[in-house]
Amino acid sequence: MGLEKEKLDTSIIMDEDEFNRSIEPILSKKGKVYAAGPDRDPNDINLHLKVGFEDVIGEPVSTHSFDRVWIGSHAAFELVKFIFYRLLSTLLAVPMAFILGLVFGLLSCIHIWVVMPVIQSVMMFLPSVQTLWRTLTDVFITPLFHSMGKCLSSIQVQTTEN
């Protein structure tokens, strides 16, 4: 009898309410563990990265594994994803932020101090280039094509069928 009572004490009984196949973290059902921080992606630039367990693994109605296997694989997926992301972000976040800061700082500096002054200078210089181009065209190219047109206008082409 003591054995039976011990088995009852150690058995896990899950109601259908507790067994939820959603992507909510397991700890969230016991209350707020931490306060929700500010939205770190307010522009939703990484919306395609919101991947949950059901987005990767799905069992059709005709084939189901054991419930404990499903729960265990769901928990393993979420835990490994969480730990691996935290580990990689710990190792790569600061160096990548440093490198990207350098890259975007360099691009901003080049754009502000090189590209835009060159574009503005070219835009200021273009009216005089346009006047010069029109003059050269009127002096050399227009008379050339007018004379070629007059010479070639006397040519007549006739087609005959044999």
Side-chain angles (χ1 to χ4, degrees):
M1 286 217 162
L3 252 181
E4 292 172 3
K5 189 173 184 182
E6 203 171 279
K7 277 188 177 179
L8 288 175
D9 289 340
T10 58
S11 66
I12 297 173
I13 300 171
M14 293 188 70
D15 294 333
E16 196 61 36
D17 295 336
E18 291 180 23
F19 180 67
N20 187 3
R21 294 182 184 211
S22 70
I23 60 173
E24 296 176 10
I26 295 170
L27 295 176
S28 68
K29 293 188 180 190
K30 295 183 180 178
K32 294 277 183 184
V33 177
Y34 59 89
D39 186 11
R40 294 185 182 181
D41 189 11
N43 297 329
D44 291 329
I45 60 173
N46 291 316
L47 192 61
H48 60 285
L49 293 178
K50 294 181 181 178
V51 178
F53 181 72
E54 286 82 13
D55 297 329
V56 178
I57 299 171
E59 292 181 335
V61 177
S62 60
T63 56
H64 280 272
S65 61
F66 295 112
D67 287 341
R68 296 192 196 282
V69 172
W70 181 262
I71 293 169
S73 61
H74 187 267
F77 175 83
E78 293 294 335
L79 183 68
V80 169
K81 183 177 86 167
F82 175 77
I83 290 174
F84 197 65
Y85 175 75
R86 288 284 173 107
L87 177 70
L88 283 177
S89 63
T90 301
L91 295 175
L92 297 177
V94 174
M96 286 302 295
F98 182 77
I99 291 169
L100 291 174
L102 285 175
V103 167
F104 286 115
L106 180 68
L107 288 175
S108 297
C109 182
I110 289 172
H111 184 73
I112 291 169
W113 294 103
V114 176
V115 173
M116 287 310 292
V118 168
I119 289 175
Q120 291 297 329
S121 299
V122 167
M123 294 302 279
M124 289 175 12
F125 186 63
L126 278 179
S128 58
V129 170
Q130 182 181 9
T131 305
L132 180 65
W133 181 257
R134 185 176 295 135
T135 304
L136 290 174
T137 305
D138 289 343
V139 170
F140 295 108
I141 297 177
T142 304
L144 176 69
F145 281 100
H146 276 288
S147 62
M148 285 176 50
K150 287 184 179 179
C151 291
L152 297 175
S153 66
S154 62
I155 298 175
Q156 293 181 350
V157 177
Q158 293 179 352
T159 58
T160 57
E161 271 187 47
N162 287 339

